[in-house]
Amino acid sequence: MKALLYKDFIALKKVLLLMLVILAVIAFYFYKEDQIYLLPLFFILLPVIILGMLFGADSQDRLDHYLVPSPVKRSTIVLSRYVIVWFMSTLAVILALMMPWLTKGNNPLALDWILLVPGIFLMTSFISAVQLPLMYRFGETKARLIFVGLYFVTFAFFSSIASNKEWLAAKLQAGFNLDSRYLALILAAAAILVNGISYFCSRVIYEKREF
C-alpha cells in the first residue's frame, strides 16, 4: 500500500505543487470576497481531478500489466485509490473545522462540529465514489467524458451556494432542528455506505478484468 501511494505521489508531485498554488489563489479570492467558508467545498472537485490524472498516467504506462502479476492484491491496488480520496476528504474536514477562526463569525453555513465532520466528508467523497467504479468499468478516457458533465454540475453547485447563501443557511437551520447526534449518525452512515458500496463495486470490476 505504501509503495502504491508513494508511486502516485511521485507521479503527481509537480501537479500537486501547482494545485497548492491554485488552492492558495482560490483561498485568497474567497477571503477577499468574504466567502472563505466555501473553500472546503473545493475538495469536492480536487479528488476528481487527481484521480483522472492518476488513471491517465497508469493507462499511458500500462502499469496494471505490471502490478497485477505482482504479489500486490488487486483489492489493495483499488484501495490505494480510495485512500487518496479519503485523505482529501479529511483535509476538507480539518479546513472546515478551522472556519470559525477564518471567517470571524461570518459563516452562513456554520454547523456544529458533530454535523460538520460527517457532512463534509460525505460531500467531498461522494462524486469520487461515483467516479471510481466508472473508471474501472469503462477506462479513464470514457469515464472522463462522463464526468465532463459532473464538472459543470460542481461549478454550478459552487455558484448556487454563493448566490443563495442566506436561503441555504435558513434551510439548514430549519432542517437541523432535530437532535444533531441522530443527524450526525445518519450522515456518517451515508458516508460509510456510499464509500463502501463504491469500493466493493470497484474491487469486483477490477478483479474480473483481464490484462
Side-chain angles (χ1 to χ4, degrees):
M1 175 70 75
K2 291 181 180 179
L4 292 172
L5 294 174
Y6 181 73
K7 179 266 298 178
D8 290 340
F9 174 76
I10 294 299
L12 292 178
K13 183 168 62 173
K14 293 182 180 179
V15 175
L16 290 175
L17 290 174
L18 177 61
M19 286 188 174
L20 285 175
V21 174
I22 294 174
L23 184 62
V25 172
I26 292 175
F28 178 75
Y29 173 77
F30 281 163
Y31 184 79
K32 293 292 288 184
E33 295 295 322
D34 200 22
Q35 295 178 354
I36 191 66
Y37 55 86
L38 294 177
L39 188 59
L41 301 182
F42 178 71
F43 285 81
I44 296 174
L45 185 61
L46 191 57
V48 176
I49 297 173
I50 290 177
L51 289 174
M53 291 180 176
L54 286 175
F55 273 89
D58 288 353
S59 177
Q60 183 178 358
D61 297 336
R62 297 173 60 85
L63 193 63
D64 290 320
H65 293 77
Y66 299 100
L67 285 177
V68 171
S70 71
V72 181
K73 295 181 180 179
R74 294 196 183 196
S75 58
T76 303
I77 297 173
V78 174
L79 182 60
S80 67
R81 290 290 189 255
Y82 283 85
V83 169
I84 294 172
V85 175
W86 297 335
F87 176 74
M88 292 290 178
S89 295
T90 302
L91 288 180
V93 169
I94 294 173
L95 190 58
L97 291 174
M98 294 171 58
M99 284 300 110
W101 291 275
L102 297 177
T103 57
K104 299 177 182 178
N106 183 27
N107 184 359
L109 304 181
L111 298 173
D112 292 338
W113 71 268
I114 197 173
L115 292 171
L116 199 64
V117 171
I120 292 295
F121 193 93
L122 176 61
M123 290 178 64
T124 53
S125 63
F126 182 81
I127 294 183
S128 296
V130 176
Q131 177 190 26
L132 279 164
L134 293 175
M135 286 285 196
Y136 284 112
R137 176 63 181 85
F138 298 108
E140 177 265 338
T141 303
K142 292 182 179 178
R144 185 172 291 182
L145 292 176
I146 296 172
F147 270 81
V148 167
L150 283 177
Y151 293 152
F152 287 105
V153 171
T154 303
F155 283 116
F157 178 71
F158 276 105
S159 177
S160 176
I161 288 180
S163 59
N164 298 282
K165 56 185 179 182
E166 291 83 5
W167 177 85
L168 183 59
K171 293 297 181 182
L172 286 173
Q173 186 176 3
F176 291 132
N177 283 333
L178 297 176
D179 193 320
S180 59
R181 292 172 295 179
Y182 295 126
L183 290 172
L185 285 175
I186 293 173
L187 290 172
I192 294 172
L193 186 64
V194 167
N195 284 276
I197 292 175
S198 176
Y199 171 69
F200 175 78
C201 293
S202 295
R203 189 185 67 184
V204 170
I205 293 169
Y206 193 68
E207 287 179 347
K208 291 183 178 179
R209 285 182 62 181
E210 296 182 1
F211 296 96

